[in-house]
Amino acid sequence: MSTVIMHNVVSVDGFIADDNDGVGPLHDWYCNGEVPITPGVDQQFDHSGSGSLFKVSRASAPYVRATWDRLGTIVMGRRLFDLVNGWEGRPPAGEHVVVVSHRPKPGGWHPEASYHFVDDVKAAIDGARQLAGERDVAVNAGDVGGQILAAGLVDEVAMDVVPVVFGSGKRYFGRIEGQHLLDDPHVVIQGEGVLHLRFKVRR
């Protein structure tokens, strides 16, 4: 069965974007290294937002490649979908995307792309698992990710922590309420300009 991993790049103080949805230096490490991360990544769309190909440090490369190679489906919220226009139907990794939204897919939008719109987080994860098969499901952090974690549907939390303090903005766990325990990190990798952490969700 696939593993459901809540994942995002995040500031030291826990934000995935500023108040205006800007990511500032959060994604710089994706393009400042010397190792291209190109296998399986569609280079026809600028997923990095910087006009550059993904090139990470030698310390980060094995982790990023293994994570992306394992990925079958991405689950995202409608806000992120609208901000990036669904990456024009070309997800950065995996073959499928499930969008949690009370609004349907825009009419005529990339009918060739495997994008599925559902209005319930449980249905989103059920559908994402089915699409992923034995591969992993990545849940974008933020409000939708927090809802999925609160519903007990996340197996692991993955954070790429960048040394910047935002002060305010969009929180990694969104507006989640209550306490949710994680195990000690089973992945700790020091990259250049980023610290990769992964925690299993305690049941």
Side-chain angles (χ1 to χ4, degrees), residues 25-96:
L26 289 181
H27 294 175
D28 288 356
W29 67 273
Y30 274 126
C31 306
N32 287 347
E34 61 276 9
V35 182
I37 305 295
T38 53
V41 178
D42 187 337
Q43 298 295 341
Q44 297 178 24
F45 180 79
D46 179 19
H47 295 95
S48 72
S50 68
S52 301
L53 300 181
F54 288 112
K55 292 177 72 175
V56 301
S57 70
R58 295 190 184 281
S60 293
Y63 172 73
V64 174
R65 280 182 175 150
T67 299
W68 289 7
D69 285 347
R70 281 284 309 156
L71 185 58
T73 307
I74 294 173
V75 178
M76 66 193 308
R78 183 58 180 257
R79 184 176 184 83
L80 178 57
F81 174 87
D82 288 341
L83 282 170
V84 300
N85 196 29
W87 304 297
E88 300 297 344
R90 303 180 180 105
E95 291 80 42
H96 314 283

Side-chain angles (χ1 to χ4, degrees), residues 116-170:
H116 311 266
F117 285 61
V118 298
D119 62 1
D120 174 79
V121 294
K122 185 178 185 305
I125 296 301
D126 287 346
R129 281 187 184 275
Q130 185 172 16
L131 289 165
E134 295 299 313
R135 300 172 75 189
D136 292 336
V137 173
V139 175
N140 283 115
D143 284 334
V144 167
Q147 292 171 35
I148 293 171
L149 177 66
L153 301 173
V154 172
D155 300 308
E156 297 186 16
V157 170
M159 309 175 92
D160 298 319
V161 184
V162 172
V164 59
V165 175
F166 273 22
S168 65
K170 309 301 169 65

